[in-house]
Amino acid sequence: MIRCLAIDDEPLALQQLVTYIGKIPFLELAAQCQSALEARKFLEQETVDAIFCDINMPDLNGMDFVKSLQYPPMIVFTTAYSEYAVEGFKVNAVDYLLKPFGLQDFQRAANRIRERLDTTTRLPQQGGVGDGSDTIFVKTEYRIVKVTIADIRYIEGMSEYLKIYIEGESKPIITLLSMKKITEHLPDTFMRIHRSYIVNLTKIQEVNKNRIIMDADTYLPIGDLYKEGFQNYLDTHFLGK
């Protein structure tokens, strides 16, 4: 499924976007926003594959909003003003829908998004994993990034998504992947310690009761189902009486 964000300050136009997204089998509505500022707050916490965005909006117009995104996903602009078309394609928009547009026009734009995403995801194996070497490939937003496994500090699962925390990076990589799938491609220096956490054992700084301390600000819980396995690891690496 392609996760979409719909943005339009006009309630009826926004509802039309939501309705059309619901009619396309391979699209999934992640959120709907009535301003670019609201959308920006959403994207600080979540990722999407595509944005259907109106251009003429108060406070922050859609064009400037897209330009402000460091790693913009696939963009389809919607507007009643045809003069924005050239500028829209300058920011690499997938398509440009001139209001009023119908379902057929929307379907065309959705197909272009799918075609472009299919092209960008052809490099790695299905699911975004690598070839058993010291790196993996994962899809985040519309990009495919290479991750050096040894640099992974820990992985956090959240529903169908993973947050991969990398050494030296302030923000995690967020990707659509399951804990089970990524575990199959990690070496034995990684261990699942909780239903929501996989930890790189080489990055642990301290173990305190039922939690693992990665650094001064990061404490990971050890789940009941995983205590025995982790304790066995400690026992085999513990020096002392």
Side-chain angles (χ1 to χ4, degrees), residues 185-204:
H185 296 269
L186 294 175
D188 56 10
T189 50
F190 286 79
M191 179 178 289
R192 191 161 183 179
I193 58 162
H194 188 276
R195 66 187 302 270
S196 299
Y197 292 101
I198 297 171
V199 66
N200 185 340
L201 298 167
T202 68
K203 305 292 185 182
I204 295 174

Side-chain angles (χ1 to χ4, degrees), residues 1-239:
M1 296 291 282
I2 299 173
R3 280 169 52 87
C4 302
L5 175 62
I7 312 170
D8 201 305
D9 63 308
E10 299 178 5
L12 290 178
L14 182 60
Q15 184 55 52
Q16 182 190 44
L17 283 176
V18 170
T19 299
Y20 284 173
I21 289 172
K23 290 180 180 294
I24 308 299
F26 55 84
L27 296 185
E28 174 188 359
L29 181 67
Q32 52 181 300
C33 301
Q34 286 192 265
S35 73
L37 296 179
E38 182 185 350
R40 179 182 285 173
K41 289 181 180 179
F42 174 80
L43 291 175
E44 289 174 357
Q45 304 295 326
E46 302 284 346
T47 62
V48 295
D49 300 303
I51 297 177
F52 293 89
C53 183
D54 184 29
I55 293 179
N56 283 70
M57 293 185 290
D59 298 324
L60 178 64
N61 71 49
M63 194 70 66
D64 290 337
F65 163 67
V66 169
K67 290 178 180 178
S68 73
L69 298 177
Q70 185 176 7
Y71 301 113
M74 302 293 176
I75 303 294
V76 173
F77 284 117
T78 65
T79 183
Y81 302 93
S82 59
E83 61 266 27
Y84 286 112
V86 174
E87 189 177 357
F89 286 109
K90 284 182 180 179
V91 296
N92 201 29
V94 175
D95 209 342
Y96 178 96
L97 295 175
L98 187 62
K99 298 178 180 179
F101 55 86
L103 180 58
Q104 185 175 357
D105 296 322
F106 187 88
Q107 175 80 64
R108 181 199 69 221
N111 288 339
R112 287 182 176 177
I113 290 172
R114 182 169 62 172
E115 289 168 4
R116 191 172 294 189
L117 284 172
D118 285 345
T119 300
T120 61
T121 56
R122 222 167 269 158
L123 173 63
Q125 300 172 11
Q126 186 175 1
V129 296
D131 57 3
S133 65
D134 59 353
T135 60
I136 57 175
F137 288 91
V138 296
K139 178 171 173 269
T140 178
E141 297 173 334
Y142 73 99
R143 303 172 300 139
I144 293 172
V145 297
K146 183 173 72 172
V147 178
T148 301
I149 293 175
D151 291 339
I152 299 174
R153 298 177 65 231
Y154 65 97
I155 299 167
E156 180 182 1
M158 49 177 195
S159 186
E160 298 176 341
Y161 285 79
L162 298 180
K163 289 183 177 180
I164 304 175
Y165 292 83
I166 306 296
E167 192 78 45
E169 298 292 336
S170 59
K171 292 184 178 181
I173 295 171
I174 301 177
T175 184
L176 178 60
L177 203 62
S178 68
M179 296 285 271
K180 181 178 182 297
K181 186 68 174 178
I182 199 166
T183 299
E184 294 172 356
H185 296 269
L186 294 175
D188 56 10
T189 50
F190 286 79
M191 179 178 289
R192 191 161 183 179
I193 58 162
H194 188 276
R195 66 187 302 270
S196 299
Y197 292 101
I198 297 171
V199 66
N200 185 340
L201 298 167
T202 68
K203 305 292 185 182
I204 295 174
Q205 290 191 4
E206 186 178 332
V207 180
N208 188 335
K209 296 181 179 179
N210 291 327
R211 62 183 183 176
I212 291 172
I213 300 173
M214 304 298 292
D215 55 49
D217 301 314
T218 308
Y219 300 78
L220 305 181
I222 303 172
D224 291 339
L225 293 176
Y226 304 90
K227 283 181 181 177
E228 182 177 353
F230 184 70
Q231 186 60 51
N232 290 338
Y233 166 77
L234 288 181
D235 291 344
T236 58
H237 292 78
F238 180 73
L239 299 180

